[in-house]
Amino acid sequence: MPEGLSSLAKPLVLVVEDEPALATLLRYNLEKQGFRVEEAGDGQEALNRIVESQPDLVLLDWMLPTLSGIEVCRQIRRRPATRDLPVIMVTARVEDQDAVRALNTGADDYITKPFGIEALLARMRALLRRSATMPVKGELTFHDITLDLAAHRVSRNDRRLHLGPTEFRLLEFFMQHPKRVFSREELLDAVWGKDIHVEPRTVDVHIRRLRKSINADGELDVVRTVRTAGYALDTEAL
Ligand code: CA
């Protein structure tokens, strides 16, 4: 069993990869670590598989036949049933800008080829911990926002909000510590986990997505940017 997941059934990972040798290697290593694995060789097949098999996590290659990984990711986020599905984008591109683009289309994380299996496992564990093994009691409120931990639901002014898994964890963390300013590093430790290396800039991407998800036109932006220091959940403008 993967570390930290011993009380759960074996998580199902959908490996979307058009290079058969790499897909086989990933399947071998992931199964050895206690995951169940299904494969899809192109983007369209990936979308079909997601509906049929309801995986716990998708490992999504960027460059794919029929539909690109970016387009598959967009469609995953667009559909209510898969909006919260954890997605790790696998990219052969090394430019940082592409990684940021992957996150902007809704991927929760990314990894660049070639990668070691340990680095991949660390990211997968962190994501699965966040999405599946949250303590589930009670409700948090801040200003006009309510976060229901049991139902995994967020609303503002009785309007249902749709957040990705990372944005949900970010908001939950902020709501547990309202008005406190956190640095990007503190947020990475608290939300992504200490055992995983993520660029601090990744935090900015998810903060932007969080703002977009919770602030409707004309509504108060409750996420405060504190220059050089970080971010806070706060109703008072700087
Ligand atoms: Ca490929």
Side-chain angles (χ1 to χ4, degrees):
M1 295 304 287
E3 179 197 329
L5 297 168
S6 50
S7 62
L8 299 173
K10 285 184 174 186
L12 176 63
V13 180
L14 178 64
V15 173
V16 186
E17 174 57 66
D18 60 321
E19 291 170 46
L22 182 54
T24 302
L25 186 70
L26 284 169
R27 173 191 281 277
Y28 171 80
N29 279 294
L30 293 174
E31 284 181 346
K32 211 166 72 176
Q33 294 291 328
F35 292 95
R36 287 179 298 137
V37 176
E38 286 198 15
E39 294 174 31
D42 67 58
Q44 190 54 54
E45 191 190 348
L47 289 174
N48 298 342
R49 281 282 177 149
I50 286 165
V51 172
E52 284 164 22
S53 308
Q54 304 186 339
D56 297 296
L57 186 146
V58 180
L59 204 56
L60 181 60
D61 191 25
W62 176 305
M63 301 292 276
L64 289 169
T66 67
L67 287 177
S68 72
I70 292 280
E71 185 52 32
V72 172
C73 193
R74 278 204 193 99
Q75 296 208 24
I76 288 172
R77 289 294 174 256
R78 208 175 290 146
R79 296 174 183 181
T82 57
R83 194 168 272 146
D84 298 334
L85 177 60
V87 175
I88 298 179
M89 190 77 83
V90 179
T91 166
R93 305 171 176 219
V94 287
E95 284 175 48
D96 217 22
Q97 212 38 50
D98 289 330
V100 171
R101 199 174 144 221
L103 294 175
N104 274 330
T105 62
D108 297 285
D109 204 347
Y110 67 92
I111 192 162
T112 307
K113 289 180 187 173
F115 53 85
I117 193 74
E118 280 309 320
L120 175 64
L121 286 169
R123 285 170 158 78
M124 290 175 60
R125 286 179 189 129
L127 265 184
L128 286 170
R129 257 201 301 270
R130 273 185 266 154
S131 64
T133 61
M134 304 252 310
V136 284
K137 281 266 147 58
E139 214 176 69
L140 297 167
T141 57
F142 177 80
H143 191 53
D144 49 7
I145 298 174
T146 305
L147 187 147
D148 184 331
L149 288 163
H152 213 76
R153 188 172 292 171
V154 185
S155 56
R156 181 166 191 180
N157 281 324
D158 297 324
R159 182 178 85 254
R160 174 87 188 268
L161 304 180
H162 298 286
L163 272 61
T166 303
E167 287 70 43
F168 186 93
R169 284 281 297 128
L170 256 180
L171 183 62
E172 182 193 356
F173 183 70
F174 277 133
M175 289 178 78
Q176 285 165 344
H177 314 276
K179 302 197 174 197
R180 229 188 96 183
V181 179
F182 294 99
S183 70
R184 290 170 179 78
E185 287 72 22
E186 286 171 326
L187 290 172
L188 284 174
D189 282 352
V191 175
W192 277 257
K194 285 181 194 296
D195 55 344
I196 185 161
H197 176 74
V198 183
E199 293 296 323
R201 196 148 67 111
T202 301
V203 174
D204 301 338
V205 173
H206 287 280
I207 290 281
R208 200 156 43 221
R209 275 159 62 177
L210 177 62
R211 281 197 168 113
K212 212 173 146 194
S213 302
I214 63 178
N215 300 325
D217 283 347
E219 269 179 346
L220 182 68
D221 182 3
V222 292
V223 182
R224 191 177 131 206
T225 304
V226 184
R227 198 181 283 266
T228 74
Y231 297 102
L233 192 65
D234 206 336
T235 52
E236 285 167 43
L238 207 58

